[in-house]
Amino acid sequence: MALNALKDSPKDPKPWWESAIVYQIYPRSFKDTNGDGVGDLRGILEGLDYLKSLHVGCLWLSPVFPSPMRDFGYDVKDYEGIDPLFGTLEDFDTLLTATHQLGMKLILDLVPNHTSDQHPWFIESRSDRDHDKRDWYVWRDPGMAGAPPNNWLSFFGGPAWTLDSASGQYYLHQFDSTQPELNYRHPAVLEAMLDNIRFWLERGVDGFRIDVIWLLIKDAWLRDEPLNPNWDGSNPHEQLLHIYTADQPEVHQIIRSFRALFDQYGERLIVGEIDLPPENLMAYYGLAGDECQLPFNFSLIHTPFEAQILRQTVRDYEARLPAGAWPNWVLGNHDRPRLATRIGAPKARLAQLLLLTLRGTPTCYYGDELGMLNGSIPKERIKDPQAINQPEVGEWIGRDPQRTPLPWTKGPNRGFAPPGADPWLPVGDETATPSIETQSRDLSSFLHFFRSLSALRQSEAALMKGDYREIAIDHDDIMAYERSFADQRFLIILHFGGTPVTVPLQDPEIPLKLRLSTHPRSIAASLDSPLTLAGYEGVILQYPISPMKGRRP
Ligand code: NOJ
Ligand code: CA
């Protein structure tokens, strides 16, 4: 499949998202400036210099729109405003301008699949079975004996249907019962959502991450979903195979309509949240490159951090990419346990090295640049509806631990909120994750490593946009690959085992230069072959540039 719109051409320079590092900010937990315990837009403004120092090029803000905050902003009651908790539209404009002045982009989080039940559209829809907005949502009569219309399940536990006793009908919601799903089979819904998008594009936002874009349209006949024969008994939502609530063929037309609008404004980005394996994911680039420029690739989230499995994961994803499509990689987000908790602290640096040297746009989750761990949340402070609605499985399914405040300093409230404020989630202590202040002073810190890595990536075309080639090194715990562009060539070697290992380099005659290691090493040191790597060490090595222009040694 050829993606005409994405074709490489010297006259047509690559769009900005092919070189930028994307950084996800969960605004509630970034920085609180007014002392209400919740992060705000002014906090992000104050943090811009820090963000710039990470060499990230695009900030993605989880939702900041007016919301009852039942799902912390993923339940929108007004798509064209800013929740007072976060600030004002004026604060937003100030932030956008300041971000642009620093040479960074800003994208927002669009939640088009569902609204809050407080959104005027739903209030009207619910008010009367004959209201002209009734069909903006998915309403159905009860099934047998008053049961829900079909067997669909909510991600947040229980049926995906709630009975509205006033009208005697059920409405559909795949998340909380306060998040009714819009009906994209009704043309006015799409038009209304396009108007909301236009509002922000006119204001100058550089794009959107689009929430659960692969769920936007459901089976027209609302057929029951089959049982999942491989269900492991843990997450109740996985009892069914989601063949009628997700990834429906009609979704692509909706995404194309979004994209056509974005394209009217120049280089505006759609990052699609799509939790599908690579074989289903690729369709979301669009047959003519006319859907998402970056359909989120969650394969590193689902893959165990072992060298041979990772190698296969990258090979499989790269092999399936349509011609001209640009890859992307993600390690974590606000829905998944923190990287350093999930794979263990020793491997967390390796994972960042992998993320920032693979071919494609990397997305970093706030705090992962510090090696931040999951916070511990006492039962009485659990906030996440996914946990609250499912007390039987809630503790492990809850997402609060990965959403705790960013630790700026060692001081009161770790500098996240003014002294005396009561942060919405516990701030964690310095021994678990040392603060930005502490790590900035320590040359062996995670943060120092991250900054060196992101600086190197952004300064070397081969790392930023070069070709990827797997290198065979005969050791189960080693993954190696080359990145090359014009006459530059880098060799990346990642060692996922815990004990030192000796790696034979392909051609010992060629003097390789060590550009970066996950471990403290003297960068000036010349490299000996065979190369000895410590447990969980990863390195970026550079080949010398051939004296004969354009030729590789
Ligand atoms: C995906 C978001 O990432 C998650 O946080 C949210 O709860 C659901 N979509 C519903 O909007
Ligand atoms: Ca605040």
Side-chain angles (χ1 to χ4, degrees), residues 71 74 114 156 175 209 211-212 273 334-335 399 403:
D71 192 18
Y74 285 95
H114 43 272
F156 288 1
F175 296 92
R209 172 265 194 189
D211 192 66
V212 296
E273 190 205 8
H334 61 295
D335 295 326
R399 300 168 296 176
R403 298 174 176 182

Side-chain angles (χ1 to χ4, degrees), residues 24 26 60 62-63 71-75 109-114 155-156 174-176 179 209-215 273 298 333-335 384-386 399 403:
Q24 181 188 356
Y26 195 68
W60 149 33
S62 281
D71 192 18
F72 301 107
Y74 285 95
D75 46 336
D109 202 322
L110 183 75
V111 192
N113 179 64
H114 43 272
F155 283 87
F156 288 1
Q174 292 193 75
F175 296 92
D176 192 62
Q179 292 167 294
R209 172 265 194 189
I210 302 188
D211 192 66
V212 296
I213 202 168
W214 88 113
L215 305 184
E273 190 205 8
F298 290 149
N333 59 39
H334 61 295
D335 295 326
D384 179 13
Q386 184 163 292
R399 300 168 296 176
R403 298 174 176 182

Side-chain angles (χ1 to χ4, degrees), residues 235-256:
N235 186 344
H237 184 256
E238 288 168 10
Q239 284 172 82
L240 301 180
L241 293 174
H242 301 295
I243 60 170
Y244 295 129
T245 50
D247 198 21
Q248 301 299 291
E250 302 96 313
V251 76
H252 296 286
Q253 183 52 46
I254 301 170
I255 303 175
R256 283 195 291 274

Side-chain angles (χ1 to χ4, degrees), residues 44 64 78 86 142 205 246 251 275 277 283 287 294 328 337 349 370 429 467 471 493 520 541:
I44 300 173
V64 289
D78 172 6
F86 295 121
V205 306
V251 76
D275 196 1
L287 280 174
L294 301 180
N328 78 89
R349 288 186 190 215
L370 304 174
D429 61 43
D467 293 342
I471 299 292
I493 309 179
L541 309 173

